[in-house]
Amino acid sequence: MATIENEINRRRTFAIISHPDAGKTTLTEKFLLYGGAITLAGAVKGKKAARHAVSDWMEIEKQRGISVTSSVMQFNYDGYCINILDTPGHQDFSEDTYRTLMAADSAVMVIDASKGVENQTRKLFKVCLLRDIPIFTFINKMDREARNPFDLLEQIEQELGIQTYPMNWPIGAGKEFQGVYDRGKKEIVSFTANNGSRQVEAREVDINDPRLAEIIGREHYETLVDDIELLDGAGGEFDLEKVRHGKLSPVFFGSALTNFGVEPFLKDFLQMTTPPLAREADVGTVDPVNDPFSAFVFKIQANMNKAHRDRIAFMRICSGRFEKGMEVLHVQGGKKMKLSQPQQLMAQDREVIEEAFAGDIIGVFDPGIFSIGDTVCMPKKKVRYAGIPTFAPEHFALVRQVDTMKRKQFIKGTSQIAQEGAIQIFQELGGGMEEVIVGVVGTLQFEVLEYRLKNEYNVDIRMEGLPYQFIRWIENEGLDPKKLSLSSDTKRIQDLKGRHLLLFANNWSIQWAYEHNEGLRLSEFGQN
Ligand code: G4P
């Protein structure tokens, strides 16, 4: 038992979120370097594989080997066993990205110091807030021209609605970047550009050291003293409990590319985060250490091998120890089974594993039985996790098959692809499946849908973009949507589970719906 406890307690499972190009890949790579999981910078190039055009879909598929391996990475550092969940930051922004966050215990948010909070960070952040997970901010690219650090913090606080606490403070930026002041240690760590090698030249100097002004220059010194005074006086207190509940984000300034501030960040981060915590299930709280194996599916990767339409289901282990070959219960399917070919992803390689622990992510071969959100557990201790909410898609199209003889394949194809979670499908109220409304989070998914229906199901489709921007689930139980008073550009639809939704062309129509229907409750998330 002691070893299971030790193994679980040394686990840290987090997601990295950012807007494209903020430096997520670079930072991840530096982490892996410290963990010894890779030896060469430039080894993690998964995201580049996804620079896309439709015609590249097969290319994307071919490259999937890379993007899959880069989607979850495990490595050891300083006695910790770290699982990094990569959220695709590129334009192929899909629901997968959101779901990945459901499997993480905390998140690292990478922000480009010259740009501040950007659109995709904002979206991802919303999901972090849903779960109250700790969020750590790394303000990257301090070796380039950067915005004023106070402005950056203010923007994070205002736009994301979370308090911040700078753990260190930058001295200058760009060519003038001198290093950071570590507020905990009250020391300066000075910066010397070093072409990205593993060790940064860190010189630690006490803030009261009279030589400091010489080292960083009088002007920087004066600014620093003023800044620190302001931070200590007006800034909030550091409160670890708030951090752990996602109410306060510790902020670190640094530069991933030049490897400045990365290791101190990793060290502090690991100390402040917790091992996997208890999760809620239908039977109550499931304890990661004392309860036997349980996990839930948060991602399904289709098409690992086109000829077999095989898929890999990614599971986050929530409790206990997984052992290869053991019999588990697939709760939703009501069947006992052995998970075949359990794999874990170590940086570049996939390897079959013998065992894994709470906090780990495993990928198992899926013959088409799993859906997103499903639970697997030990037959003798049945639990069921709440599932993963369906996130509101942002682009919509009306899709129908060209050849009506292909109806069966069309239904099968769209349903399966929806089950994998790549798209969501909706119908007109009381309508059939001859034509469906497809909703996606990122528009690349439309192209993928078309390509896959043709190639895997031999169905040609016609797609017509729909002018809706927002979708909302109606939360009022038993409410007949036909009785709602809505603006003429609002559409009533249902999902495959028969839940009612509304499609809105703009914010104004949403307001209209609220104003004309007292007590109406709408949600951006569909609870499974
Ligand atoms: P992403 O995964 O968040 O999309 O970003 P990625 O790490 O790929 O970084 C985006 C670009 O920013 C890369 O340059 C990378 O080298 C650069 N970068 C990352 N961190 C820093 C930093 O701390 N300082 C500076 N100056 N640049 C940084 P690129 O030219 O687009 O790609 P590459 O040719 O270097 O691969």
Side-chain angles (χ1 to χ4, degrees), residues 15 45 84 206 212 216 225 284-285 330 332 378 390 440 507 510:
K45 277 294 172 203
I84 300 187
D206 192 278
L212 194 56
I216 60 175
V225 171
T285 309
H330 172 219
Q332 277 74 2
M378 297 309 280
T390 311
V440 297
N507 259 323
I510 302 182

Side-chain angles (χ1 to χ4, degrees), residues 21-26 45 47 140-141 143-144 255-257:
D21 281 342
K24 186 161 57 80
T25 312
T26 313
K45 277 294 172 203
K47 68 153 201 138
N140 191 29
K141 305 199 187 181
D143 58 311
R144 291 248 190 97
S255 160
L257 185 69

Side-chain angles (χ1 to χ4, degrees), residues 96-116:
D96 261 0
T97 315
Y98 291 143
R99 293 192 196 107
T100 299
L101 286 169
M102 305 307 275
D105 295 328
S106 59
V108 167
M109 171 164 72
V110 186
I111 286 179
D112 183 328
S114 68
K115 302 209 170 108

Side-chain angles (χ1 to χ4, degrees), residues 96-167:
D96 261 0
T97 315
Y98 291 143
R99 293 192 196 107
T100 299
L101 286 169
M102 305 307 275
D105 295 328
S106 59
V108 167
M109 171 164 72
V110 186
I111 286 179
D112 183 328
S114 68
K115 302 209 170 108
V117 176
E118 294 173 272
N119 204 15
Q120 284 186 15
T121 325
R122 230 172 255 131
K123 286 197 209 169
L124 288 165
F125 191 84
K126 263 194 190 171
V127 183
C128 296
L129 282 189
L130 255 187
R131 297 192 45 226
D132 293 335
I133 59 173
I135 297 163
F136 296 80
T137 308
F138 187 81
I139 298 191
N140 191 29
K141 305 199 187 181
M142 288 308 298
D143 58 311
R144 291 248 190 97
E145 283 318 305
R147 286 170 53 178
N148 176 299
F150 284 108
D151 291 349
L152 285 166
L153 295 188
E154 194 181 309
Q155 192 200 17
I156 295 170
E157 298 210 342
Q158 300 225 318
E159 290 206 21
L160 305 180
I162 187 171
Q163 284 172 265
T164 57
Y165 185 91
M167 304 298 291

